[in-house]
């Protein structure tokens, strides 16, 4: 099928109207949709009006074989438009007046269709606007919900951070309290505890710290804060500052004249009674309540440590006094010089168990005794006194060193089964160089000859006194010519935590060998000359007894 076309002259408005009417009919017959038809006719009318204004033109209408309708308008402004015709294009008569009338009537139908389409479009637009409004409302509601959720999450995070910070602060305070308590209770020295309190608290928990002891008269009354005096009198913690502290468990007082601008916290010290007051100046503008609770507990523990130290010092003083009261005044014996030293432990309650003794037997011989009771304190001092008395009683009966130790061992086994002791006894007989000795678990004696030769009496000693086994001690003999020195001592002289006892015995032997003749001429000076190098480089954890015996020509 070939394309058919027709050309229509457009010289007047009537020509334009007839052409438009015919094309309207062709488009309607060809099945073109009313909306597309209206768009086409509207555009065609505008172009025809322009063509008339320009003096006219020719309108060419071509019905293509593929069912399309091609409309071309010549003139100064050519225009071309193609319509898809679903029903195909049929030939139509040339424009006439009848077709113009029908076209005017049909235009209303097209207009109605356009209006209907416009109404539908407006309805769709209204629906879309409502949907958009609802969507916007939903978005706004969702945004509000998200904002509320974000706010709630921020509040939860803030609460969690605050809880973590509070927990971390509590952990830090408890850790400090535990460490500080360990430091305070590690010492039994009153002054040491008082010295450590400021070291622990300044500068983190206090700007400065003052400790006032109730029985210390060195602090003038004018230098004591009124709050500290009140805390000592009432036994209650006091806060003195320009503003109330409102701290838990603490009473508020006006600012102190000694610190008008900085708050003071005065905490009583003492387990049973108030021994003193710990006064802290705030590290900042005020005291933190949580920190104050920790400081109250620290003050309570410091009071217990001070109370323990005071009881310990009293116990130590009593034990040392009892110990010294039971030590023997050395006798003056022809042919034998004696010198002794007793030194309590430099720290700890390790006193009360060491003793020395020297006395004459009925036959004129002299017994030199050194001993050490296990344990320390008052009980050890009492047992030491019992052993010393029993030893003298057995010696008066004429028993030798070995027999005396055997009897002491038997007594201690039955009367004090939980206590043990070491002991060494040396018997000097006037006019004879031989010295008879016996030992019960005691460190070996050290002998120095008149020419400076030194030997350790290393014969195996018997077991300790009181060990739950029957035992008979043996005697040994050593020859000490005139001018010889025999050193009896307790283990506190030679034993150190950093070295074994054998190293200490070797050191004692070397020290005795280095003593000069003029030092040996005065046995008391010789005793000091032995102790000074043995003790100069370390503290001793145990008390010490040293007994020097020097044979003379008499």
């Amino acid at each position: 099928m070939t394309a058919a076309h027709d050309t229509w002259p457009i010289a007047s408005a009537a020509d334009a109207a007839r052409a438009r009417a015919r094309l309207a009919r062709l488009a309607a017959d060809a099945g073109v949709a009313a909306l597309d038809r209206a768009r086409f006719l509207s555009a065609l009318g505008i172009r025809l009006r322009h063509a008339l204004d320009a003096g006219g033109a020719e309108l060419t209408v071509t019905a293509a074989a593929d069912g399309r309708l091609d409309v071309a308008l010549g003139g100064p402004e050519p225009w071309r438009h193609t319509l898809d015709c679903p029903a195909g294009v049929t030939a139509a008569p040339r424009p006439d007046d009848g077709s113009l009338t029908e076209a005017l009537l049909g235009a209303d139908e097209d207009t109605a269709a356009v209006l209907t389409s416009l109404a539908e479009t407006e309805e769709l637009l209204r629906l879309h606007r409502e949907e958009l409004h609802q969507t916007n409302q939903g978005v706004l509601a969702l945004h509000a919900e998200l904002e509320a959720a974000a706010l709630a999450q921020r509040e939860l995070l803030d609460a969690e951070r605050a809880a973590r910070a509070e927990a971390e602060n509590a952990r830090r305070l408890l850790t400090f309290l535990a460490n500080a308590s360990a430091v305070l209770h590690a010492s039994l020295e009153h002054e040491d505890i008082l010295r450590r309190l400021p070291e622990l608290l300044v500068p983190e928990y206090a700007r400065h710290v003052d400790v006032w002891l109730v029985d210390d008269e060195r602090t003038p009354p004018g230098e004591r804060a009124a709050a500290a005096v009140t805390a000592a009198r009432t036994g209650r913690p006091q806060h003195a500052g320009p503003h109330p502290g409102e701290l838990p468990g603490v009473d508020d007082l006006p600012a102190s004249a000694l610190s008008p601008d900085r708050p003071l916290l005065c905490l009583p010290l003492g387990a049973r009674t108030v021994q003193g007051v710990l006064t802290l100046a705030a590290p900042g503008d005020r005291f933190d309540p949580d920190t104050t609770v920790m400081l109250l507990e620290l003050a309570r523990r410091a009071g217990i440590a001070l109370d323990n130290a005071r009881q310990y010092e009293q116990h130590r003083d009593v034990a040392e006094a009892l110990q010294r009261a039971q030590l023997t005044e050395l006798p003056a014996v022809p042919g034998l010089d004696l010198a002794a030293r007793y030194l309590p432990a430099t720290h700890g309650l390790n006193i009360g168990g060491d003793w020395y003794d020297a006395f004459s037997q009925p036959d004129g011989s002299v017994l030199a005794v050194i001993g050490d009771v296990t344990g320390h304190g008052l009980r050890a001092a009492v047992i030491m006194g019992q052993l010393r008395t029993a030893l003298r009683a057995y010696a008066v009966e004429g028993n030798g060193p070995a027999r005396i130790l055997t009897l002491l061992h038997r007594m201690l086994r039955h009367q004090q089964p939980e206590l043990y002791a070491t002991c060494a006894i040396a018997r000097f007989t006037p006019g004879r160089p031989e010295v008879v000795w016996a030992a019960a678990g005691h460190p070996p004696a050290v002998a120095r000859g008149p020419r400076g030769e030194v030997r350790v009496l290393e014969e195996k000693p018997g077991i300790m006194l009181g060990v739950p086994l029957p035992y008979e001690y043996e005697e040994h003999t050593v020859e000490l010519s005139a001018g010889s020195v025999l050193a009896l001592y307790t283990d506190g002289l030679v034993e150190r935590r950093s070295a074994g006892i054998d190293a200490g015995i070797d050191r004692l032997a070397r020290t005795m060998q280095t003593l000069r003749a003029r030092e040996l001429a005065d046995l008391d000076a010789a005793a000091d000359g032995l102790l000074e190098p043995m003790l100069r480089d370390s503290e001793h954890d145990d008390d010490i007894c040293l007994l020097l015996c020097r044979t003379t020509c008499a």
Side-chain angles (χ1 to χ4, degrees):
M1 181 177 180
T2 60
H5 65 274
D6 198 359
T7 301
W8 304 331
I10 305 298
S12 63
D15 293 340
R18 282 191 290 270
R20 184 183 182 283
R22 186 182 182 198
L23 287 174
R25 182 176 178 182
L26 284 173
D29 293 343
V32 177
L35 188 58
D36 292 338
R37 197 164 63 241
R39 287 188 183 125
F40 165 67
L41 294 174
S42 176
L44 176 62
I46 293 172
R47 293 297 175 178
L48 290 173
R49 190 179 303 112
H50 289 171
L52 289 175
D53 292 340
E58 288 186 349
L59 181 66
T60 303
V61 179
T62 303
D66 56 1
R68 292 183 301 166
L69 180 64
D70 186 65
V71 179
L73 180 64
E77 297 180 5
W79 175 76
R80 188 183 187 91
H81 190 86
T82 301
L83 284 175
D84 291 325
C85 303
V89 181
T90 59
R94 294 182 66 84
D96 53 23
D97 294 337
S99 61
L100 180 59
T101 303
E102 293 177 0
L104 289 175
L105 295 175
D108 292 336
E109 296 178 0
D110 293 341
T111 300
V114 170
L115 292 176
T116 300
S117 176
L118 180 60
E120 292 175 352
T121 302
E122 288 179 348
E123 179 65 18
L124 289 175
L125 181 60
R126 184 187 65 79
L127 293 175
H128 287 313
R129 283 176 178 172
E130 289 183 358
E131 183 178 359
L132 180 60
H133 176 71
Q134 293 175 359
T135 301
N136 289 338
Q137 292 297 321
V139 169
L140 291 175
L142 178 60
H143 183 270
E145 292 177 359
L146 291 176
E147 186 175 358
L151 178 61
Q153 186 176 18
R154 283 196 299 271
E155 292 175 351
L156 289 175
L157 290 175
D158 292 341
E160 181 181 1
R161 278 193 290 266
R164 286 179 180 272
E166 185 176 352
E168 177 61 23
N169 184 57
R171 185 199 64 79
R172 180 179 60 83
L173 292 176
L174 289 175
T175 300
F176 171 79
L177 178 62
N179 294 337
S181 300
V183 170
L184 295 177
H185 286 280
S187 175
L188 287 174
E189 298 294 335
H190 202 263
E191 293 297 328
D192 188 41
I193 295 173
L194 296 179
R195 176 181 57 81
R196 293 184 181 185
L197 276 171
E199 295 176 355
L200 290 169
L201 295 171
V202 176
E204 184 172 359
Y205 298 104
R207 185 173 184 179
H208 64 82
V209 170
D210 178 68
V211 181
W212 166 51
L213 298 180
V214 175
D215 57 357
D216 187 359
E217 301 298 333
R218 293 175 295 179
T219 304
E223 297 182 9
R224 304 169 188 166
V229 176
T230 303
R233 178 173 52 83
T234 63
R236 286 187 54 79
Q238 304 293 323
H239 173 271
H243 304 287
E246 299 181 352
L247 301 173
V250 180
D251 297 337
D252 277 314
L253 293 176
S256 171
L258 300 178
S259 180
D261 300 326
R262 187 173 294 272
L264 297 180
L265 186 62
C266 301
L267 308 176
L269 299 173
R272 299 171 180 84
T273 60
V274 177
Q275 298 186 33
V277 177
L278 174 65
T279 300
L280 302 91
D285 296 334
R286 61 185 301 274
F287 285 97
D288 177 71
D290 293 338
T291 302
T292 301
V293 173
M294 182 276 293
L295 292 174
L296 291 175
E297 178 61 19
L298 180 63
R300 187 187 71 82
R301 298 185 184 187
I304 294 175
L306 288 171
D307 193 63
N308 291 339
R310 179 161 294 186
Q311 290 187 34
Y312 155 77
E313 290 173 356
Q314 293 173 351
H315 196 112
R316 175 191 174 96
D317 292 343
V318 171
E320 184 175 350
L322 179 61
Q323 174 82 1
R324 290 188 180 277
Q326 297 189 90
L327 295 177
T328 304
E329 182 177 352
L330 298 177
V333 180
L336 184 66
D337 292 337
L338 298 171
R341 293 289 184 273
Y342 169 73
L343 297 176
T346 54
H347 56 83
L349 196 59
N350 295 338
I351 58 175
D354 291 18
W355 91 96
Y356 63 84
D357 200 358
F359 55 90
S360 299
Q361 287 189 287
D363 61 358
S365 61
V366 177
L367 291 185
V369 182
I370 197 88
D372 185 2
V373 177
T374 59
H376 303 92
L378 288 175
R379 188 183 182 194
V382 171
I383 298 301
M384 178 271 289
Q386 294 177 357
L387 286 176
R388 175 178 173 274
T389 302
L391 188 149
R392 283 193 169 224
Y394 296 144
V396 168
E397 296 178 357
N399 294 305
R403 181 58 181 168
I404 293 174
L405 291 178
T406 300
L407 294 173
L408 287 176
H409 175 61
R410 187 180 304 168
M411 181 199 78
L412 200 59
R413 282 178 55 204
H414 290 287
Q415 294 186 3
Q416 301 290 342
E418 297 179 358
L419 281 179
Y420 308 108
T422 66
C423 186
I425 304 175
R427 183 171 65 185
F428 296 83
T429 303
R432 298 180 61 182
E434 296 85 4
V435 176
V436 178
W437 64 275
H442 202 79
V446 179
R448 183 186 190 276
R451 291 183 296 276
E453 67 279 11
V454 175
R455 60 172 295 196
V456 179
L457 306 186
E458 295 180 328
E459 286 81 355
K460 183 177 180 181
I463 64 175
M464 294 177 65
L465 299 176
V467 173
L469 292 172
Y471 192 81
E472 297 286 337
Y473 293 89
E474 298 179 0
E475 291 182 345
H476 308 277
T477 302
V478 59
E479 184 172 339
L480 297 179
S481 57
S484 298
V485 177
L486 182 68
L488 303 175
Y489 56 91
T490 55
D491 57 358
L493 180 63
V494 295
E495 191 171 25
R496 298 289 180 273
R497 292 181 180 180
S498 58
I501 192 171
D502 291 338
I505 295 173
D506 292 341
R507 186 179 179 187
L508 175 62
R510 291 194 303 270
T511 304
M512 287 189 66
Q513 192 171 27
T514 59
L515 290 176
R516 293 185 294 272
R518 68 172 179 270
E519 292 177 311
L520 291 173
D522 183 354
L523 206 57
D524 284 313
D528 294 334
L530 274 178
L531 291 176
E532 195 277 332
M534 292 294 294
L535 303 178
R536 73 160 66 106
D537 58 351
S538 64
E539 295 182 340
H540 50 95
D541 300 330
D542 201 355
D543 49 352
I544 294 172
C545 277
L546 173 65
L547 179 59
L548 296 182
C549 310
R550 183 181 62 191
T551 59
T552 64
C553 297

